[in-house]
Amino acid sequence: MTSFSSSFHLPRHTFLWRNRYRSNLLWTQFCPFLLNRCCRSDFVQKVTRASWRHQHTVNDKLALRFPLDFSCVRSYYLARTLLSISDEDRPAKRLRKSLNHRQWCQKKPSSNTNSPSRKTSQSPLSEVERQWEDFSHISGRCQSLKGRFFDFSVMSYNILSQKLLQDNAHLYKHCSLPILDWNYRYTNIIKEIQRHNSDIVCLQEVQEDHYETQIKPSLESLGYHCEYKKRTGKKPDGCAVVFKQDSFSLVSCHPVEYFKPGIPLLDRDNVGLVLLLQPKVEKGITNHLCVANTHLLYNPRRGDIKLAQLGLLLAEISHVAKQSDGTTCPVILCGDFNSAPWSPLYHFIRESKLEYHGIPMGKVSGQDDIPKGQRILSAPLWPQHLGISQQCQYEDPTSNGDIRNCEGSRINGRPCIEHCLNLTSAYSHHSSKRGQPEITTCHSKRAMTVDYIFYSAASRDTSLKSGTQPQESNVLSGEGLHLLTRLALFDETDLHAVNGLPNANNSSDHLPLLACFRLHNLQTAAT
């Protein structure tokens, strides 16, 4: 029996369906089915050869203006054509007319469509304003660059690589094509950075060609010094750390590669970047500040790889941040950790240790409510010849330590990993407005928190636990950083109001995180 897709004739069938069923709803339900059947046969190739033979230059311009997969654009054209057919137009003639690139770009979207997704993605949306949450009344009023304090601001922002956007176009089907164009997105991203004017900016998913030709020159014109590390594999993006040259000077820069040949656990191309900065002040402050930026593996099933990557980064931070007197300078750790709040990986950063033995790998990052797979973590978490101890410190890989040293310390007889950094999150991960979870990334499939700004808290009691504020009695306790302000995040209700991310005002599928800190000058305080 001949299949439907190989035997039907498009103009005849569209004409019959359109006249027999006048309901727009039924027509819009039929079109996706029709498109699906068409794409399984040689129909698309026939239409392409017949109608696009003379439009090579138009296709090239289209690919430049809307850099999505050509097959996706072609399918979009076909769907738009079928939805716009009228009773008076012959379908074949309408198809040829709709393939005019300039007419399609200039044509306004139809207002009588019954598809809510089309109506939402094309309608103008007002921007929801983010509010600053102020904690400066606890640490005292701002005395930036004067006296005992040095105040500075930090932004962490995953700007969404254009190549990754193209490779994962199904995640952005709620967006209209023009707002996904790189030139449109780039303008918004630079405006966002310029508007907040942060002293330190940590960027993830920075595409190398865009960084060299557009992003770096723009940021340098704004007074930033730029450092960049590309991923080690074929992916064209990487991490960047930029800072205001009138606020900091660069002491040293340390790229971190998570790919280690010969170690199966570390066979991915993610990277990190660690900088040691010196605040620029006239007098008084001699402390260094260690700033780290990373983008960990996405794969929710491979929590073992994520922990190993994090262990490598923490070892590098511990090495760079160590001062001549044996203490550790304050640390800012930013990035996309692809892990949910209160997940085991998050707890490891916050609590400085993790009892990992027996945890399913799919639960380490907390990305999936129902983790897939049954593999569990076992000791030791990474091999000894990696040169990283279970305390996340560099060690001689040729040393012959016993099994207990390889497995690290133990809690209740169970192996665990540790680090020596006193880190807490700048965000509480719950919206103060409605009590809903805060969101840092949102696309067509999910909305959750995966981006963080961790910092060395001046006192462990200043941790912001589930919306609580720092305690006033701990303001001057110990060396470290105090949180002054932070830019509040959205919850899912707010993001639904602006059609998710990206949108006309926010040109990434991640929101930028911003916080202001106060660095204490203990030497001045002691005198």
Side-chain angles (χ1 to χ4, degrees):
M1 181 177 179
T2 306
S3 66
F4 174 79
S5 61
S6 62
S7 63
F8 87 118
H9 180 55
L10 176 68
R12 176 64 177 167
H13 277 71
T14 52
F15 184 81
L16 291 176
W17 273 81
R18 182 66 168 175
N19 286 274
R20 184 178 179 183
Y21 299 100
R22 296 286 181 173
S23 169
N24 286 336
L25 178 60
L26 182 58
W27 177 244
T28 55
Q29 289 176 344
F30 171 67
C31 284
F33 167 77
L34 185 62
L35 177 61
N36 184 46
R37 303 296 294 185
C38 292
C39 292
R40 293 182 184 178
S41 69
D42 60 349
F43 169 78
V44 173
Q45 288 76 10
K46 291 180 180 178
V47 171
T48 302
R49 289 194 297 269
S51 302
W52 290 17
R53 186 177 294 115
H54 62 287
Q55 295 196 15
H56 297 294
T57 57
V58 172
N59 293 340
D60 293 339
K61 293 178 181 179
L62 175 63
L64 289 174
R65 180 158 184 173
F66 301 108
L68 296 174
D69 290 343
F70 187 73
S71 60
C72 295
V73 175
R74 185 170 54 194
S75 300
Y76 182 84
Y77 266 148
L78 179 58
R80 188 181 180 90
T81 300
L82 295 176
L83 288 173
S84 61
I85 293 174
S86 64
D87 291 337
E88 292 76 20
D89 290 326
R90 290 184 58 84
K93 182 178 180 181
R94 185 67 178 178
L95 179 61
R96 290 194 297 271
K97 183 177 180 181
S98 68
L99 291 178
N100 187 306
H101 165 60
R102 296 185 184 277
Q103 291 179 0
W104 178 80
C105 292
Q106 295 171 1
K107 181 180 178 182
K108 294 182 179 180
S110 174
S111 59
N112 60 356
T113 178
N114 292 326
S115 171
S117 61
R118 285 169 59 87
K119 187 179 298 184
T120 302
S121 63
Q122 301 289 351
S123 59
L125 297 167
S126 59
E127 183 177 6
V128 179
E129 185 178 356
R130 296 172 64 183
Q131 303 295 325
W132 283 94
E133 298 175 338
D134 185 14
F135 304 105
S136 61
H137 62 282
I138 297 177
S139 295
R141 294 301 172 186
C142 293
Q143 303 175 31
S144 182
L145 304 179
K146 295 181 181 179
R148 301 164 55 191
F149 308 114
F150 176 75
D151 296 343
F152 63 96
S153 54
V154 177
M155 171 190 281
S156 180
Y157 195 9
N158 183 324
I159 65 173
L160 179 58
S161 162
Q162 191 70 13
K163 181 63 167 61
L164 294 179
L165 184 154
Q166 297 171 21
D167 292 344
N168 299 277
H170 63 284
L171 298 179
Y172 311 105
K173 55 189 177 183
H174 62 289
C175 304
S176 60
L177 287 178
I179 69 171
L180 298 179
D181 176 64
W182 167 247
N183 289 326
Y184 180 90
R185 294 179 54 238
Y186 161 72
T187 302
N188 273 0
I189 290 168
I190 294 299
K191 285 181 179 179
E192 183 89 19
I193 296 174
Q194 185 176 11
R195 177 160 63 98
H196 294 293
N197 198 33
S198 299
D199 297 300
I200 301 171
V201 181
C202 296
L203 302 175
Q204 304 89 40
E205 289 193 23
V206 183
Q207 195 161 304
E208 185 180 29
D209 55 342
H210 294 157
Y211 172 78
E212 295 292 345
T213 60
Q214 294 176 292
I215 297 175
K216 182 179 180 181
S218 296
L219 294 180
E220 288 180 339
S221 69
L222 297 175
Y224 286 100
H225 175 91
C226 304
E227 296 290 339
Y228 177 75
K229 174 59 181 175
K230 180 185 174 294
R231 289 166 70 171
T232 52
K234 296 181 180 179
K235 296 292 178 63
D237 64 291
C239 295
V241 178
V242 306
F243 58 88
K244 286 284 188 179
Q245 297 186 74
D246 58 357
S247 298
F248 293 95
S249 59
L250 179 65
V251 178
S252 59
C253 177
H254 307 264
V256 182
E257 297 182 355
Y258 300 144
F259 176 78
K260 301 297 179 183
I263 302 180
L265 182 64
L266 291 167
D267 60 351
R268 309 303 168 94
D269 56 9
N270 306 84
V271 295
L273 193 58
V274 181
L275 271 62
L276 188 63
L277 303 179
Q278 170 70 55
K280 284 187 177 180
V281 290
E282 295 181 0
K283 60 179 181 179
I285 295 182
T286 58
N287 299 58
H288 288 159
L289 177 69
C290 182
V291 179
N293 182 26
T294 191
H295 188 181
L296 298 184
L297 177 72
Y298 167 76
N299 191 342
R301 303 183 184 183
R302 295 308 304 267
D304 55 337
I305 296 179
K306 295 186 185 190
L307 286 174
Q309 291 180 347
L310 182 59
L312 277 171
L313 181 65
L314 293 175
E316 185 66 24
I317 294 173
S318 299
H319 174 71
V320 173
K322 186 172 293 185
Q323 302 181 113
S324 57
D325 60 357
T327 61
T328 300
C329 72
V331 173
I332 296 286
L333 173 56
C334 301
D336 180 347
F337 292 82
N338 277 313
S339 300
W342 323 121
S343 64
L345 187 144
Y346 175 90
H347 273 293
F348 174 50
I349 298 174
R350 281 282 303 264
E351 305 301 328
S352 300
K353 57 187 175 183
L354 175 66
E355 186 180 345
Y356 63 87
H357 186 74
I359 298 178
M361 293 182 184
K363 289 187 176 181
V364 170
S365 63
Q367 292 167 276
D368 290 338
D369 296 331
I370 304 177
K372 301 175 182 178
Q374 302 297 325
R375 299 176 61 187
I376 62 174
L377 300 176
S378 59
L381 190 56
W382 50 75
Q384 184 182 9
H385 62 269
L386 176 62
I388 306 293
S389 71
Q390 301 296 298
Q391 289 78 30
C392 296
Q393 301 282 338
Y394 285 127
E395 64 179 5
D396 184 1
T398 61
S399 62
N400 295 321
D402 57 25
I403 297 298
R404 288 177 297 177
N405 290 334
C406 293
E407 294 181 356
S409 58
R410 291 176 172 267
I411 301 176
N412 298 324
R414 303 178 67 183
C416 72
I417 51 175
E418 300 174 289
H419 66 84
C420 63
L421 306 174
N422 180 24
L423 299 175
T424 191
S425 175
Y427 283 85
S428 61
H429 314 308
H430 282 84
S431 169
S432 58
K433 183 165 52 177
R434 281 180 284 265
Q436 298 179 5
E438 292 175 331
I439 303 298
T440 68
T441 182
C442 176
H443 47 66
S444 295
K445 286 197 171 181
R446 66 169 52 193
M448 62 185 302
T449 289
V450 296
D451 306 277
Y452 302 93
I453 297 178
F454 295 104
Y455 68 100
S456 298
S459 170
R460 200 61 178 170
D461 293 334
T462 63
S463 305
L464 302 184
K465 297 181 179 179
S466 189
T468 61
Q469 296 184 355
Q471 300 298 314
E472 207 164 329
S473 60
N474 297 314
V475 169
L476 298 177
S477 59
E479 180 182 2
L481 302 172
H482 286 286
L483 179 66
L484 298 179
T485 59
R486 68 187 179 200
L487 188 60
L489 289 165
F490 292 149
D491 56 29
E492 203 162 355
T493 302
D494 294 324
L495 288 174
H496 283 161
V498 294
N499 196 37
L501 298 173
N503 55 51
N505 301 304
N506 306 98
S507 287
S508 173
D509 59 349
H510 293 249
L511 290 172
L513 280 62
L514 287 101
C516 297
F517 299 96
R518 173 161 294 165
L519 173 64
H520 286 269
N521 183 353
L522 299 181
Q523 183 178 358
T524 302
T527 58

